[in-house]
Amino acid sequence: MIDQSASPAEPGADDRWWRDGVVYQVYPRSFADSNGDGVGDLAGLIEHLDHLAGGPESLGVDAIWLSPIYPSPMLDGGYDVSDYSAVDPLFGTLADFDRLIEACHRRGTRVILDLVMNHTSSQHPWFVHSRQSASGPFADFYLWRDPSGWSADGQPEPPNNWVSWFGGSAWEWEPLRGQFYLHTFLPEQPDVNWRSPALRRAMWSMVKGWLGHGVDGFRLDVFNAFLKAADLPSNPEIAASGSAPWDRQEHRYDKDQPELHELLAEFRAIVDARPGTATVGELFTSGIDVAVAYWAPRHLIFDWVLLDATWTAASFRTAIAAREAAWGDRWPTIALSNHDHSRHLSRYLDALGPHDGHAADAVAKAAATIELTLRGTPFLYYGEEIGAQDITVPRELARDRAALRMPEWWNRDGCRAPMAWSGATNAGFTSGAPWLPLPPDARTRNVEREAASERSVLAHYRRLLALRRRSPALRSGDLALVDVGDPDVLAYLRRAGDETALVVVRFDGRTGKIELPQAATPWRVALSSHDLATPTVGSRLTLRPFEAIVLAHTMHG
Ligand code: GLC
């Protein structure tokens, strides 16, 4: 199982980090505050890099993905960019960013920036100019259209029936210009016009600018919505009673247009010019088959099948089978949480009903075991490595504007709580007043405390990452689901060369025996969520409540 030659990645030195590595998503506002304003910043992140990589006590991730750090009015957590080529003063300066890149590269850690190119903030100078008049250099940078007609009381009617993902019409009337503009998200997030050659040039030059700063890749926000059908026809309405307006249309014309492939090829050629780079596209409300069609080597795509799975062995088996069938030889991503969804641990525990702290830790470790041993590139979400759960933010204190616009939707503040570093004031996150409440258990559930215990969730994550780094089967092997004779146990084999790993995870609170697949040499426990010992086992194995075990054997014993 041990491949001693595996060493920390050197930027540019090898080309496989996007497949073999583990990516860690940092939500910068919530990671670490260095200046006491209550908001996380780049200097705070730099101070905490040891937690992530490069030190003896590190998690050992290969790359970090930074949610947006650009100047922004922050109506959508920075996904409303008002200047693509700078850093918001809340987070620091461009010089801080360069220091971050340098500090990460010294540790062999890559840095992925979030590129939000479907829309800008309405405060971006492009839009400020574009909304003034239908002539001028920025006139066609956005999707402007005349009204389809006028109502009896003299109100302009939108050009088509498209709706915003955040609720209401996707069209906003601009009296200055006497036209509507399109916004798939908030009205303060106008969609750009990718059919404008000048807009394309401006975007590509921005991308090259960040590559020039040494970034190793990008996460592409809602990339499959970049292009809309040229003549913007209304979408077909579909029957879906009781669901959100977005779900009552077939999104035939407002995303996933065939010309997108050519646009992506242009973008990818620019990124590929810098060796060792990679990207990951955030698929916006489309299915796994659509995700697979956009994939290319070094250009990953998120599908949401695993993130949508519920905490049962059957649900995970179905999700894994669907992924394996759809992705085939291509390389998927693995994500259980991100900044847009309730944290996976909270979702799983809610579904389990009443439980104690031990169950919470056990489920966190079991989920981590799956996340770090499936086939694909794992994307961890900050805080999950200490078993962080959602916080509750009352509606009147909500910072997530989108949630306020969409009454039926979940407030994303819940999964964006400040990181708990220690038992100090404000969990060591800030010396000021944190921008969102700290998790209520931050005094006991924090990095410092968990680092001191071999049995913590954090210790399990570290062991898993180390095991993955040493094991070609776990990093890059193929995957086959297996039946171990218990419907509440998920089991799969990973195989590469003469090494086989077997992962078994119990989803329920029982203790029970399972049957291991026959192997030429005995199975050895490589890692267990419940024990630190690594014994050799026979053909049967007892799994305790929510226990996850990685077993291994090589042809040579
Ligand atoms: C993506 C982001 C989300 C944001 C939306 C609009 O889905 O992940 O946070 O609200 O795009 O930019």
Side-chain angles (χ1 to χ4, degrees):
M1 181 94 190
I2 314 289
D3 169 10
Q4 299 291 4
S5 64
S7 61
E10 284 299 318
D14 77 72
D15 207 25
R16 287 182 59 90
W17 66 272
W18 60 276
R19 284 182 66 111
D20 289 355
V22 175
V23 185
Y24 182 100
Q25 180 186 358
V26 172
Y27 195 70
R29 285 184 83 101
S30 299
F31 199 63
D33 174 24
S34 72
N35 63 1
D37 65 359
V39 176
D41 48 44
L42 297 182
L45 167 57
I46 294 171
E47 282 168 19
H48 286 85
L49 285 179
D50 267 351
H51 172 61
L52 301 179
E57 298 286 280
S58 301
L59 260 180
V61 301
D62 299 270
I64 57 173
W65 145 30
L66 290 179
S67 280
I69 53 164
Y70 319 101
S72 162
M74 300 286 171
L75 300 182
D76 184 16
Y79 287 89
D80 46 330
V81 179
S82 54
D83 178 354
Y84 282 114
S85 48
V87 171
D88 194 289
L90 259 187
F91 301 128
T93 62
L94 259 183
D96 292 330
F97 181 75
D98 291 336
R99 271 202 307 129
L100 173 69
I101 295 269
E102 208 249 325
C104 286
H105 284 180
R106 230 181 309 123
R107 291 160 196 268
T109 310
R110 272 80 175 180
V111 180
I112 297 177
L113 272 192
D114 213 318
L115 274 185
V116 190
M117 302 198 292
N118 177 70
H119 44 267
T120 69
S121 158
S122 53
Q123 292 185 27
H124 194 292
W126 297 345
F127 189 73
V128 172
H129 286 103
S130 196
R131 76 191 320 173
Q132 304 290 331
S133 100
S135 60
F138 302 102
D140 71 346
F141 267 41
Y142 296 85
L143 290 156
W144 293 102
R145 286 295 184 280
D146 292 332
S148 58
W150 296 83
S151 66
D153 60 351
Q155 296 302 311
E157 282 169 349
N160 67 22
N161 69 351
W162 295 1
V163 288
S164 156
W165 167 250
F166 287 153
S169 168
W171 294 97
E172 187 79 4
W173 177 249
E174 173 53 74
L176 279 175
R177 180 159 160 160
Q179 280 189 308
F180 281 97
Y181 66 85
L182 183 77
H183 60 91
T184 304
F185 297 93
L186 294 174
E188 295 87 354
Q189 291 171 295
D191 285 39
V192 300
N193 174 18
W194 275 100
R195 295 180 194 274
S196 152
L199 178 280
R200 264 193 207 207
R201 279 196 300 276
M203 286 293 193
W204 296 160
S205 122
M206 175 272 284
V207 171
K208 288 175 191 161
W210 287 112
L211 288 169
H213 278 274
V215 304
D216 303 286
F218 302 101
R219 177 240 188 212
L220 281 189
D221 192 61
V222 298
F223 75 96
N224 55 320
F226 286 179
L227 281 178
K228 286 78 178 164
D231 47 352
L232 311 186
S234 279
N235 282 322
E237 307 274 354
I238 50 176
S241 63
S243 52
W246 180 269
D247 297 328
R248 286 186 234 127
Q249 293 188 357
E250 180 201 331
H251 292 275
R252 194 185 294 175
Y253 299 119
D254 52 0
K255 62 185 178 76
D256 296 316
Q257 297 304 298
E259 311 92 293
L260 180 63
H261 290 278
E262 174 240 304
L263 179 67
L264 288 177
E266 258 181 53
F267 168 72
R268 289 169 177 182
I270 293 167
V271 175
D272 289 348
R274 188 177 141 84
T277 48
T279 68
V280 55
E282 185 214 18
L283 190 75
F284 175 54
T285 69
S286 295
I288 189 167
D289 294 337
V290 177
V292 168
Y294 291 123
W295 186 91
R298 293 200 283 129
H299 298 286
L300 298 167
I301 308 289
F302 286 124
D303 75 75
W304 306 116
V305 171
L306 279 175
L307 204 141
D308 290 339
T310 54
W311 187 250
T312 66
S315 176
F316 269 78
R317 261 194 299 274
T318 306
I320 293 167
R323 280 162 56 88
E324 289 303 309
W327 286 101
D329 290 343
R330 284 162 284 201
W331 195 250
T333 59
I334 305 163
L336 301 181
S337 289
N338 65 32
H339 64 290
D340 289 328
H341 296 270
S342 172
R343 286 179 177 271
H344 63 263
L345 183 56
S346 297
R347 284 184 273 122
Y348 300 163
L349 292 174
D350 279 356
L352 277 173
H355 56 269
D356 58 21
H358 292 298
D361 274 15
V363 172
K365 291 177 188 174
T369 308
I370 300 169
E371 189 180 20
L372 287 159
T373 61
L374 282 180
R375 192 174 75 88
T377 303
F379 284 73
L380 309 182
Y381 182 52
Y382 86 97
E384 65 166 84
E385 74 276 26
I386 54 171
Q389 292 190 45
D390 293 339
I391 53 165
T392 307
V393 179
R395 206 170 164 75
E396 54 287 5
L397 297 181
R399 308 293 293 251
D400 183 10
R401 278 278 280 272
L404 298 176
R405 204 180 147 90
M406 271 175 103
E408 74 281 7
W409 204 39
W410 185 68
N411 173 7
R412 294 174 296 177
D413 295 338
C415 66
R416 298 173 179 177
M419 180 76 174
W421 292 103
S422 70
T425 315
N426 291 327
F429 166 72
T430 180
S431 58
W435 78 285
L436 276 180
L438 287 154
D441 58 355
R443 237 172 214 294
T444 49
R445 191 175 285 286
N446 58 59
V447 172
E448 185 183 69
R449 178 115 167 207
E450 294 200 23
S453 161
E454 281 199 303
R455 298 192 172 271
S456 64
V457 175
L458 179 59
H460 185 68
Y461 267 84
R462 286 179 181 165
R463 282 195 288 272
L464 271 170
L465 273 133
L467 178 65
R468 195 177 187 283
R469 196 183 277 288
R470 295 197 303 269
S471 161
L474 292 181
R475 279 203 313 272
S476 55
D478 57 19
L479 183 148
L481 286 164
V482 288
D483 182 358
V484 289
D486 184 330
D488 291 318
V489 175
L490 170 71
Y492 48 87
L493 292 166
R494 301 288 315 278
R495 260 179 306 232
D498 65 358
E499 187 207 356
T500 305
L502 168 65
V503 181
V504 290
V505 181
R506 178 174 286 292
F507 278 66
D508 66 347
R510 289 181 303 126
T511 295
K513 282 205 177 350
I514 57 166
E515 298 286 341
L516 300 182
Q518 278 201 342
T521 55
W523 289 107
R524 278 177 298 108
V525 173
L527 185 127
S528 151
S529 58
H530 284 39
D531 273 324
L532 300 176
T534 54
T536 299
V537 291
S539 61
R540 305 191 81 194
L541 178 70
T542 300
L543 275 183
R544 285 161 287 178
F546 310 112
E547 186 167 19
I549 297 184
V550 184
L551 300 124
H553 80 81
T554 59
M555 306 250 271
H556 317 298

